Amino acid sequence: MKRFALLLILAMIISSCVPRVFYMNLDIRKPSPSGMDIAGKSIAVVYLNDKTAKDTVFNKSIALGFKSSLEKDYFNGKAGIDLWSLDRPQNGKQISIDTLRSLVMKTGKDVIFLFDVTPDKDPHSISLCLRHDSGKEKADSADVLSATFSANLKLYAYDSMGKDTLRTYSEKGMLIMQNIYASKKESMDKIKENIWSKVPETGIQTGKEASKIFSSKWKTEDFMFIYYDSPEDWENGIEAAYKFRWKESMSYWMNLLNTDNMEKRSSAEYNIANICYILGDYKLALKWLDMSDKDFHLYLSDDLRSRIK
């Protein structure tokens, strides 16, 4: 009987030392098609104040549309991006990387997007194409007026947390369409005034289109976390990870680093590297993985390292 009890205690001790694996399948945010990784960074969108109020309103509306799309993608639809304006440089001065650097200092944000939209022609010269809307007859015999004008769009992007590089995206002769219903009794001046009142709506849609190159890309990946039966911080860390409470999970595994058991310390470091990777901090993930490999090389380590690199 004594021998059986001793074997039972020994089995319990051994089981507490055997590592187990918890599996998770997650959608991970990847850098946008632009190559910029702006997740987790503070952002400001800036538009240029132009010579005329109408031009400035159009520039601002594009910036607003761009801002709202990025907030939907990166801030769960909440207001998280600042909107700023900048007077257009005079005397032939051009937008440069120094302009964006100064905006980083002025706004206190990590990433700056600057919109520079200029009409290809006189913005007040709107070509109008009258077409009858037979499908939606109005009581006052309204017609649909299609206004078309063109503009040159430049978008400057600068990430102060990344490479010290100014990215420029441009589209020349961009056609901008605006349709309105107008009464046959209205004068052309009144019609043009109504068209300009609708320009902010068109600008917002243009800004949303411009944001697509910075939209997140998602990839489904498998993750494996290592844990032991004791101490309880191992399972606490797993439970927090299961509920996507990543920082809380990391804190539990941080508590487990003060041990002379190299395999267990390596396991905790590996789990922390996993979380850093999930949160998009690849450099920090690699540092923790290096520490893990130095303490004790785990069989799961190579797969994570290949994804980080």
Side-chain angles (χ1 to χ4, degrees):
M1 187 69 182
K2 289 182 178 179
R3 185 171 179 272
F4 175 76
L6 181 62
L7 288 173
L8 182 61
I9 293 170
L10 183 60
M12 291 175 64
I13 293 172
I14 291 173
S15 68
S16 69
C17 298
V18 174
R20 301 183 184 184
V21 173
F22 177 74
Y23 168 87
M24 293 187 74
N25 184 262
L26 301 171
D27 289 331
I28 301 300
R29 188 196 299 271
K30 297 294 182 180
S32 66
S34 69
M36 289 184 69
D37 186 2
I38 60 176
K41 298 175 182 177
S42 57
I43 302 171
V45 177
V46 185
Y47 65 93
L48 291 180
N49 285 321
D50 228 310
K51 294 179 180 178
T52 68
K54 290 178 179 177
D55 293 345
T56 298
V57 167
F58 185 56
N59 288 351
K60 182 178 180 180
S61 65
I62 290 178
L64 282 170
F66 185 86
K67 172 181 178 290
S68 67
S69 285
L70 291 190
E71 286 176 333
K72 183 178 180 180
D73 190 357
Y74 291 95
F75 296 88
N76 297 319
K78 298 178 182 178
I81 298 175
D82 286 356
L83 184 68
W84 291 69
S85 64
L86 177 71
D87 289 338
R88 180 178 293 281
Q90 302 298 315
N91 302 321
K93 290 184 179 180
Q94 301 295 316
I95 301 294
S96 68
I97 192 170
D98 288 334
T99 309
L100 279 292
R101 286 174 183 152
S102 66
L103 285 170
V104 168
M105 299 298 293
K106 184 176 181 179
T107 64
K109 303 301 178 182
D110 301 325
V111 179
I112 302 294
F113 292 104
L114 173 61
F115 277 95
D116 177 9
V117 185
T118 54
D120 195 27
K121 297 179 180 179
D122 180 0
H124 301 285
S125 299
I126 304 173
S127 58
L128 296 174
C129 177
L130 183 67
R131 63 184 177 86
H132 190 61
D133 185 17
S134 58
K136 294 182 180 180
E137 203 65 46
K138 299 292 179 180
D140 61 352
S141 299
D143 287 290
V144 174
L145 292 176
S146 296
T148 304
F149 60 100
S150 61
N152 298 322
L153 183 148
K154 280 188 178 181
L155 171 58
Y156 300 93
Y158 180 70
D159 180 5
S160 64
M161 305 295 286
K163 293 182 179 179
D164 191 32
T165 304
L166 177 62
R167 298 169 183 256
T168 306
Y169 306 86
S170 61
E171 184 174 349
K172 292 185 177 180
M174 176 180 62
L175 292 179
I176 299 167
M177 305 286 294
Q178 181 66 61
N179 296 334
I180 66 164
Y181 282 101
S183 170
K184 293 178 179 179
K185 299 177 182 179
E186 290 181 305
S187 67
M188 188 57 68
D189 288 341
K190 178 65 176 177
I191 289 171
K192 287 185 178 183
E193 184 179 330
N194 290 340
I195 289 171
W196 275 112
S197 70
K198 296 288 185 179
V199 159
E201 297 176 15
T202 307
I204 286 173
Q205 291 304 315
T206 302
K208 289 181 177 180
E209 285 295 316
S211 73
K212 288 182 178 179
I213 194 174
F214 302 101
S215 297
S216 301
K217 293 295 180 181
W218 296 87
K219 181 181 178 182
T220 302
E221 295 187 29
D222 298 330
F223 292 90
M224 287 176 280
F225 294 93
I226 302 170
Y227 72 102
Y228 296 80
D229 286 342
S230 64
E232 63 179 359
D233 276 347
W234 286 107
E235 292 192 1
N236 289 339
I238 292 295
E239 184 178 354
Y242 177 73
K243 295 178 179 178
F244 309 116
R245 299 204 294 257
W246 303 117
K247 292 184 179 179
E248 179 185 339
S249 180
M250 189 184 294
S251 69
Y252 285 121
W253 288 320
M254 286 282 192
N255 294 337
L256 298 166
L257 296 176
N258 188 23
T259 176
D260 293 329
N261 186 318
M262 292 295 99
E263 185 175 2
K264 285 191 173 182
R265 187 161 73 186
S266 176
S267 298
E269 290 164 339
Y270 167 81
N271 288 348
I272 294 169
N274 251 337
I275 293 180
C276 292
Y277 178 85
I278 290 169
L279 295 176
D281 195 336
Y282 303 133
K283 289 183 179 179
L284 190 56
L286 192 58
K287 287 182 180 179
W288 278 104
L289 194 58
D290 286 342
M291 287 189 284
S292 173
D293 284 348
K294 185 178 179 181
D295 287 337
F296 186 94
H297 185 76
L298 302 166
Y299 74 96
L300 297 174
S301 172
D302 294 339
D303 176 67
L304 180 58
R305 186 175 295 277
S306 67
R307 281 189 271 176
I308 295 174
K309 292 184 175 181

